[in-house]
Amino acid sequence: MGPHPALLIGEILEQVFAHLRINWEDDRGEESKMQQASLACAARVCTTFYEPAMNTLWWSIPGIQPVLHLLATLSWLSVSQVGGHSGLGLLYTMTDQPKSPRSASWERLCRYAAHTRVIQAASSDISAHPDVYSFLGSSRTPDDQPLFRNLCVMTCHVYSLRSGDVGILRLANPRIDRLRIHFGALKMRGRNWWLVFRAADRPAEGPTLDHLLQDALKPGLVGLVELEVQATHNIPYARDSKTWSCLAQLQSLRKLTLDQACLVKSYTSLQGLASLPVLTELSLYVTSHDRWRRSSYRGFQALERLSLNLYSHTDIDALNLFDSPGLRTLSVSLRQAKQDTIPVILDHVATTYPRIQSITIKDRMGESLDDPSAVPSFEAVFGKLSQRETIEEIVISTAEELYLCTATDIDSDLARLARSWPNLRVFSLTSEPREARITHRALAAFAEHCSNLRALHLRGVDLSGLTEEELRTLPPSTCPLEELGVCTLHDRGDAKRSALFLRTLFPRLDVVKTMAWDCPSCSPSWDKRCTLALKGLLGHPNVPFSHAF
């Protein structure tokens, strides 16, 4: 019996094989490897499948490895073994072999390259001499077009700055709209701020990150929509004002992610970025030896998502530079938070961003105070923010030593927040109020007032005061909560009663998700002991949970 007639039509096969295209945001996962293998197998099935499968296979390629391999078979490139990042690697170099642009193999390569839309990150053990990239970048197809004429997305790894060459970036064309540039061996990548500043203080020798970025962000990339720049900690950060001028020329940019490789040290570095007309998502590392001052310009008007990594508590003044009325998501990572740092941030958010929906503040090195009077009240921290009914997600995680606030009746305060934020989906407060203990009444308030709640994380919950009468009169709940995280649960009462309370209050609780949760504020030395009490309740043999193991 022959194949279905539809399978003989190339256009239909291309639509089928299109479902195996690799997701450019997850181009190194196991699923991507399986998709590549499936397309390669399909190309070997029959001549009808060959062209549609190969066209789809070339839609997303790992670096330019397929191009290097094909040119090596034509003797245009030579291959030698060199020391790689994980042992022996391959180095491709140009040969003296005459290169005929009319050969059948070259024309076939041009035909496949025309289907390429995505160039993924290549293996660190396969490299090419800068002359190879220059040759490919200047090469033209038989119809006088660039080799990768339809390329839209590129991920580039520059493993060494010594050559001063941007490598695969020479293949970029004005059609590129998404670009990732990674400098250094990312397998050794770290987020240690001490290492960052140790590298930053070294004198620059030879080609610098500034030179490569300025060369990469050439004027031809006018249509760039997304840009991400990363570097390992041993590479000095970009410090040339011309680099920031190059970034400011990308007028179509909508998403910009810069790590500590492009450390922002003054407000002048942000002036160019502030004028980008359609920039909606921004992620930066910020530090300054002096306090930030509010400038006269109004910028970042289109910004909707902002992520800031602040080195010092004085850097929170940098928030004043982001005059973004449409901001919906704010994430702030702190390193040296003072007792009043988080209240200042929340006060600024409540005052400046009327459409804010999601707030994330994380700190791991806060400074504790022995003076209880210096700890702000619950009202001082959340008073203004509670008036923003748009809040859907709030995550506050601090070091164990840093108290977020004081509270005379923490249950009533949390209940007021639950009533104020009816659209709340995630509430994570893993910073313990000073001399206050959350009880079962706060949990009941979230279940009653937050009909969209999916995740709830708290520290220091006490269920020992739960009575049999309260459990018996507890009304049926339709709360959709799936993940409950409690750090340091206090439960000296009836374990079965507490388990029944949680089962009734949160009928859709996913035990697998909940038991996998780790408190982000606790030291790793705790070895998950802070969450064992809750896991014991959820594993109570006489209380069945619908999502149990």
Side-chain angles (χ1 to χ4, degrees):
M1 182 177 179
H4 192 282
L7 296 179
L8 301 178
I9 303 175
E11 290 80 0
I12 294 180
L13 288 174
E14 288 186 357
Q15 291 297 321
V16 174
F17 292 144
H19 292 280
L20 294 176
R21 289 176 179 171
I22 296 174
N23 179 6
W24 80 279
E25 294 181 341
D26 185 26
D27 52 19
R28 302 298 294 272
E30 290 299 323
E31 183 178 354
S32 299
K33 296 178 181 178
M34 293 177 61
Q35 290 171 328
Q36 284 183 320
S38 298
L39 288 170
C41 290
R44 301 186 187 101
V45 170
C46 60
T47 55
T48 304
F49 280 21
Y50 181 79
E51 283 297 330
M54 288 296 292
N55 293 342
T56 307
L57 190 61
W58 276 79
W59 187 87
S60 178
I61 60 176
I64 57 169
Q65 295 174 20
V67 178
L68 298 177
H69 177 73
L70 179 57
L71 295 183
T73 61
L74 298 177
S75 299
W76 291 12
L77 301 180
S78 61
V79 187
S80 58
Q81 285 190 337
V82 295
H85 290 275
S86 59
L88 290 178
L90 299 179
L91 174 64
Y92 288 84
T93 55
M94 300 293 296
T95 65
D96 296 331
Q97 178 77 15
K99 299 167 181 57
S100 172
R102 296 296 179 183
S103 67
S105 297
W106 174 255
E107 292 183 356
R108 186 170 70 253
L109 171 61
C110 294
R111 187 169 65 253
Y112 289 147
H115 291 277
T116 301
R117 302 295 190 276
V118 179
I119 292 184
Q120 313 158 19
S123 170
S124 60
D125 296 325
I126 298 180
S127 58
H129 191 273
D131 290 345
V132 176
Y133 295 113
S134 298
F135 166 74
L136 294 175
S138 60
S139 296
R140 312 295 289 184
T141 62
D143 56 348
D144 197 31
Q145 294 289 329
L147 183 60
F148 292 97
R149 67 180 78 174
N150 296 314
L151 186 64
C152 298
V153 180
M154 176 183 287
T155 299
C156 170
H157 278 182
V158 180
Y159 291 97
S160 175
L161 272 64
R162 294 178 181 176
S163 66
D165 188 79
V166 292
I168 199 174
L169 281 171
R170 298 200 178 279
L171 305 182
N173 61 62
R175 290 179 59 92
I176 291 280
D177 57 18
R178 282 171 287 185
L179 177 62
R180 290 174 175 171
I181 311 176
H182 298 169
F183 295 96
L186 294 186
K187 293 181 180 179
M188 300 174 60
R189 183 171 175 77
R191 293 285 185 181
N192 190 306
W193 277 93
W194 178 76
L195 291 175
V196 171
F197 282 89
R198 183 184 63 177
D201 292 336
R202 297 173 182 171
E205 297 179 0
T208 65
L209 187 62
D210 286 300
H211 296 150
L212 293 181
L213 278 177
Q214 292 168 26
D215 192 10
L217 302 176
K218 50 191 176 185
L221 299 181
V222 293
L224 204 60
V225 175
E226 295 184 17
L227 173 63
E228 176 182 318
V229 179
Q230 296 181 350
T232 50
H233 58 71
N234 60 330
I235 294 179
Y237 59 82
R239 63 186 75 199
D240 191 345
S241 60
K242 293 181 180 179
T243 302
W244 296 99
S245 299
C246 290
L247 292 171
Q249 294 175 4
L250 305 174
Q251 293 293 299
S252 300
L253 205 61
R254 292 183 177 273
K255 180 180 179 181
L256 177 61
T257 303
L258 304 176
D259 74 348
Q260 63 263 25
C262 298
L263 195 62
V264 178
K265 301 194 68 176
S266 68
Y267 82 97
T268 54
S269 301
L270 294 177
Q271 283 185 303
L273 301 183
S275 62
L276 294 176
V278 293
L279 185 66
T280 59
E281 186 170 348
L282 178 64
S283 178
L284 296 173
Y285 276 71
V286 177
T287 187
S288 176
H289 296 298
D290 302 318
R291 296 189 67 90
W292 292 82
R293 61 182 177 88
R294 189 177 183 87
S295 61
S296 59
Y297 70 83
R298 294 175 57 85
F300 301 103
Q301 294 294 300
L303 205 61
E304 296 180 2
R305 300 173 62 91
L306 174 62
S307 177
L308 294 178
N309 292 268
L310 307 179
Y311 175 69
S312 171
H313 69 277
T314 60
D315 295 328
I316 62 173
D317 293 338
L319 277 172
N320 295 326
L321 304 179
F322 296 91
D323 189 6
S324 312
L327 192 71
R328 300 179 186 274
T329 301
L330 174 66
S331 176
V332 180
S333 295
L334 304 167
R335 181 178 180 268
Q336 294 178 335
K338 296 288 186 179
Q339 193 65 64
D340 62 344
T341 300
I342 294 179
V344 169
I345 294 176
L346 295 180
D347 182 81
H348 176 82
V349 170
T351 305
T352 311
Y353 308 126
R355 299 182 182 179
I356 194 69
Q357 294 177 343
S358 176
I359 304 171
T360 300
I361 303 176
K362 296 184 178 181
D363 170 75
R364 289 187 177 273
M365 299 180 63
E367 298 182 10
S368 61
L369 293 176
D370 296 328
D371 183 10
S373 63
V375 181
S377 65
F378 191 93
E379 178 65 24
V381 177
F382 292 103
K384 291 184 180 179
L385 194 63
S386 64
Q387 301 174 19
R388 295 294 183 193
E389 296 183 357
T390 56
I391 297 294
E392 296 182 5
E393 180 175 344
I394 184 162
V395 178
I396 300 179
S397 171
T398 65
E400 300 171 49
E401 301 83 5
L402 185 67
Y403 289 105
L404 179 63
C405 62
T406 60
T408 56
D409 189 354
I410 188 63
D411 288 335
S412 298
D413 291 331
L414 290 177
R416 179 161 58 92
L417 291 185
R419 291 191 299 269
S420 301
W421 300 330
N423 299 320
L424 197 64
R425 294 181 295 105
V426 176
F427 186 84
S428 181
L429 182 62
T430 54
S431 177
E432 188 174 5
R434 185 180 179 92
E435 298 179 354
R437 184 166 291 181
I438 302 169
T439 73
H440 60 282
R441 296 181 181 85
L443 300 182
F446 280 106
E448 178 183 357
H449 300 291
C450 302
S451 58
N452 298 319
L453 194 63
R454 293 295 187 274
L456 177 62
H457 305 150
L458 297 169
R459 179 188 285 186
V461 176
D462 189 352
L463 298 181
S464 59
L466 178 66
T467 64
E468 191 68 36
E469 179 65 21
E470 288 176 311
L471 180 61
R472 186 166 50 251
T473 58
L474 190 67
S477 173
T478 59
C479 181
L481 188 77
E482 297 178 354
E483 180 178 313
L484 174 65
V486 176
C487 169
T488 317
L489 176 70
H490 303 278
D491 181 30
R492 299 187 181 90
D494 189 327
K496 180 180 179 181
R497 182 188 305 162
S498 299
L500 283 171
F501 172 77
L502 296 179
R503 173 68 177 85
T504 306
L505 206 60
F506 307 120
R508 296 179 58 182
L509 189 65
D510 191 326
V511 177
V512 177
K513 284 185 178 180
T514 295
M515 295 184 71
W517 179 78
D518 290 328
C519 179
S521 296
C522 291
S523 168
S525 62
W526 280 63
D527 195 23
K528 302 182 182 181
R529 286 177 292 172
C530 61
T531 60
L532 288 180
L534 178 61
K535 295 176 182 179
L537 288 183
L538 298 180
H540 199 283
N542 297 323
V543 181
F545 282 81
S546 57
H547 294 75
F549 292 105

